[in-house]
Amino acid sequence: MDKIISLSIGLLLSVFLAGCYTKSPPTHPDKLSETAQKASASSEIKFFNEQAKNIPPPPMVLPSVYHSISPFSGKTISMGAENANLRQVLYIIAQNAGLNLIINSDVDANTTITLTLDKAPIEDALDTVMELSGCSYTLKNNMLYVQQYTQRTFSIPYIHTQSSFDSTLGGDILGQNAKASGVSGKFALNYKNPIEANDFYKQIEANVKETLSPNGKYTLNKFTGTLIVTDTKKSLDNIDSMLKRIKKSASRQVLIEAKILEVVLNDEHELGVDWNTLPGAIGDFTLSQTLGLSKAVAGTFSYSDKHLNAVMHALDTAGDVETLSNPRIKVSSGQSALFTSGKLVPFWDLEVTPSTTTGTTITPAIYEYTRRDVLDGLSLGVTANITEEGQIILNIVPVTSTIEGEKTITRTIDTVPEEVANAPILSIKEAGTIIYARNNDLVLIGGLMNTIKKDQRESIPLLGEVPYLGALFSRTYQKDEKRELVILLKLTMVEQ
């Protein structure tokens, strides 16, 4: 009976304990991995911090207390010589400096020196003797090595470009036939910048040849821009000075920000924009007539918002302003740039090779058509030169060409006319000028006038709009629309 009671109590306790037990949810594999990663990272950071405590600080690097002492330091020399042999003078200087003397065989033994020294620093005395004799020296330990010719390497980095500029304005106004009557009307203005003048390395070679001594030699590698010269110290110093000036000049650049505008002139300004109003608004603005075109004008003034607004106000007063393009470009000193705005219109030329007969063989004529593109718009050539004083010299040549129509060329084959070619009828306006400006100046070019014929329609109100019958109460005619081209160039110097 007791056993049964004990067993019953045990079963009840088991059921009670089972009811109190709560099963924990299973851990997701990703959370387990994240927990492990946090634990691993934490242990690594702890290990790193412990190791960092044990790493000694880097040793302090102190500047060396030793420095090379010149053998000439604190030494002076007193001597006098009249037409003395160079070798003897060098021997005395080396002896007073406590140096061994080595003289190269290329040193002219007949060179004489006249000098008087009284407690002069030996180094200054030696430099003076080198300058008078054209020699150079180097120190190797306790040896003074003197030579007539030495070698020096120069680096001349430059982009391999060659440009040329050739513009001819004007021409024979009256034509060649007018010469028979003794009347001539030829007027031309030529701007030429040949390609030889812009060949950088060719100019360098020419300058080096002029600077070399009679026995000097040089080697120029144009691919790497490396110049190796063997010559006297004086010639090497002159070449070094020359190359520094050339590289400094070649590194100067001008950023040209152009704004090309066209003004459709109103009736009050059909003769062009009134530029005489600008000096009162700007103050430092002066206009000069440009050679090559009587109505073209050019001027410069310092750039500011006030001055630019004055120019734009003058243009708005003259008519409707349209912006054709806003190009910008960097130009190196002495180089040329070309701005083009407009469209290319194709035309076709016919080249005829006549038929030939050889014996009984007849070769038919050959007709070849060649495409030629004509610019209907503006070409603006600019060549910039920058002086050492910071002045910018601009050679500006604007040329406008407008296609007013075309001429058709025909040929008749078997009484049937056939169109074989067409040629444009062009209206060309060109000008050329040289302008002196400075950094942050605005160059203005105006007066490039053009006339365009446009169709205009007039009609009686209401009646002119009636379908089919409106033509009886309206008319269409051509009206001359005058336009002026205006070019603004903002100049900013850029020096490398």
Side-chain angles (χ1 to χ4, degrees):
M1 185 67 181
D2 295 334
K3 292 182 178 179
I4 294 173
I5 294 173
S6 300
L7 181 60
S8 299
I9 294 172
L11 290 174
L12 290 173
L13 290 173
S14 299
V15 173
F16 176 77
L17 293 175
C20 296
Y21 172 74
T22 57
K23 183 178 180 181
S24 60
T27 304
H28 195 275
D30 293 341
K31 293 184 178 180
L32 181 62
S33 176
E34 182 179 353
T35 304
Q37 289 178 0
K38 289 182 177 179
S40 176
S42 177
S43 61
E44 288 186 6
I45 294 174
K46 183 178 180 182
F47 175 77
F48 176 79
N49 291 334
E50 292 177 354
Q51 290 293 325
K53 294 178 181 179
N54 300 327
I55 297 176
M60 184 179 296
V61 179
L62 298 176
S64 176
V65 295
Y66 300 100
H67 60 275
S68 58
I69 300 177
S70 171
F72 304 122
S73 179
K75 297 180 180 179
T76 60
I77 184 172
S78 299
M79 64 173 293
E82 182 178 357
N83 295 327
N85 186 278
L86 174 62
R87 296 174 182 268
Q88 295 176 348
V89 174
L90 292 175
Y91 176 78
I92 296 174
I93 293 176
Q95 189 178 36
N96 280 266
L99 297 173
N100 297 314
L101 177 63
I102 301 175
I103 302 177
N104 196 295
S105 59
D106 61 4
V107 176
D108 186 3
N110 297 321
T111 302
T112 57
I113 297 292
T114 299
L115 52 81
T116 299
L117 302 174
D118 183 15
K119 296 181 180 180
I122 289 184
E123 187 172 8
D124 293 343
L126 181 59
D127 290 339
T128 303
V129 171
M130 294 295 103
E131 184 177 354
L132 293 175
S133 62
C135 297
S136 61
Y137 74 90
T138 55
L139 288 174
K140 298 180 180 178
N141 297 326
N142 64 336
M143 292 184 295
L144 176 63
Y145 183 77
V146 180
Q147 55 188 358
Q148 183 78 30
Y149 298 97
T150 185
Q151 188 179 90
R152 196 179 299 180
T153 302
F154 303 93
S155 177
I156 315 174
Y158 193 75
I159 299 177
H160 304 267
T161 57
Q162 293 182 358
S163 62
S164 63
F165 175 71
D166 189 351
S167 177
T168 301
L169 307 179
D172 193 350
I173 302 173
L174 301 180
Q176 295 182 353
N177 295 330
K179 294 181 180 180
S181 62
V183 180
S184 178
K186 186 175 182 180
F187 176 80
L189 182 65
N190 297 328
Y191 297 104
K192 290 187 178 181
N193 189 8
I195 193 171
E196 295 81 8
N198 291 323
D199 190 335
F200 183 77
Y201 287 118
K202 186 174 182 180
Q203 297 297 323
I204 289 291
E205 283 192 89
N207 293 332
V208 169
K209 288 179 182 178
E210 292 293 329
T211 312
L212 285 175
S213 67
N215 295 324
K217 299 180 294 183
Y218 78 95
T219 301
L220 175 61
N221 188 316
K222 298 180 181 179
F223 181 76
T224 61
T226 303
L227 174 67
I228 302 175
V229 183
T230 302
D231 208 340
T232 62
K233 183 179 182 300
K234 181 178 180 180
S235 296
L236 290 176
D237 291 342
N238 290 337
I239 292 175
D240 182 56
S241 177
M242 175 194 68
L243 291 179
K244 286 180 179 178
R245 293 171 65 91
I246 291 176
K247 289 193 289 186
K248 183 179 180 180
S249 176
S251 66
R252 297 191 185 103
Q253 292 181 321
V254 181
L255 173 62
I256 303 177
E257 299 174 84
K259 185 179 287 292
I260 302 173
L261 308 170
E262 189 175 51
V263 184
V264 181
L265 300 172
N266 52 35
D267 294 338
E268 297 178 358
H269 294 81
E270 61 180 7
L271 298 180
V273 178
D274 186 8
W275 299 113
N276 294 324
T277 61
L278 288 183
I282 294 178
D284 60 346
F285 178 70
T286 56
L287 285 173
S288 60
Q289 182 173 327
T290 303
L291 296 178
L293 194 63
S294 60
K295 292 185 179 181
V297 293
T300 61
F301 53 90
S302 59
Y303 175 81
S304 68
D305 292 339
K306 175 185 175 182
H307 294 170
L308 182 60
N309 290 335
V311 174
M312 298 307 298
H313 177 72
L315 299 181
D316 289 334
T317 304
D320 297 330
V321 182
E322 180 183 355
T323 301
L324 300 182
S325 63
N326 293 312
R328 53 183 290 166
I329 191 173
K330 280 184 180 180
V331 183
S332 297
S333 180
Q335 299 296 318
S336 301
L338 180 66
F339 299 94
T340 302
S341 176
K343 59 182 178 179
L344 293 177
V345 180
F347 289 88
W348 301 91
D349 290 344
L350 175 64
E351 297 181 5
V352 181
T353 303
S355 62
T356 58
T357 302
T358 305
T360 58
T361 304
I362 299 177
T363 303
I366 301 175
Y367 300 91
E368 296 182 355
Y369 289 91
T370 304
R371 171 174 171 163
R372 299 184 184 276
D373 294 328
V374 177
L375 175 65
D376 187 5
L378 167 73
S379 291
L380 177 65
V382 178
T383 302
N385 284 281
I386 307 172
T387 65
E388 292 186 357
E389 294 77 19
Q391 192 175 46
I392 304 172
I393 305 175
L394 290 179
N395 185 1
I396 305 176
V397 180
V399 178
T400 63
S401 57
T402 304
I403 299 177
E404 295 185 342
E406 62 179 67
K407 181 178 181 180
T408 303
I409 302 172
T410 60
R411 64 186 178 97
T412 303
I413 301 177
D414 296 332
T415 68
V416 178
E418 179 183 354
E419 181 178 331
V420 296
N422 54 1
I425 301 174
L426 295 175
S427 174
I428 296 179
K429 302 291 187 298
E430 55 188 10
T433 186
I434 295 178
I435 293 179
Y436 293 83
R438 291 196 172 273
N439 184 35
N440 202 43
D441 270 3
L442 190 67
V443 179
L444 184 149
I445 301 174
L448 299 174
M449 306 288 293
N450 192 22
T451 302
I452 297 178
K453 295 185 178 295
K454 297 196 69 176
D455 292 335
Q456 296 285 337
R457 183 176 180 273
E458 288 184 350
S459 63
I460 298 176
L462 298 178
L463 295 178
E465 305 300 328
V466 176
Y468 303 108
L469 299 178
L472 300 176
F473 303 97
S474 63
R475 72 184 182 98
T476 301
Y477 65 97
Q478 284 190 333
K479 180 182 179 181
D480 291 341
E481 185 178 83
K482 302 218 170 181
R483 302 188 176 192
E484 180 173 352
L485 191 69
V486 178
I487 302 170
L488 300 175
L489 304 176
K490 182 179 180 296
L491 309 178
T492 305
M493 283 183 53
V494 180
E495 190 165 348
Q496 302 294 334

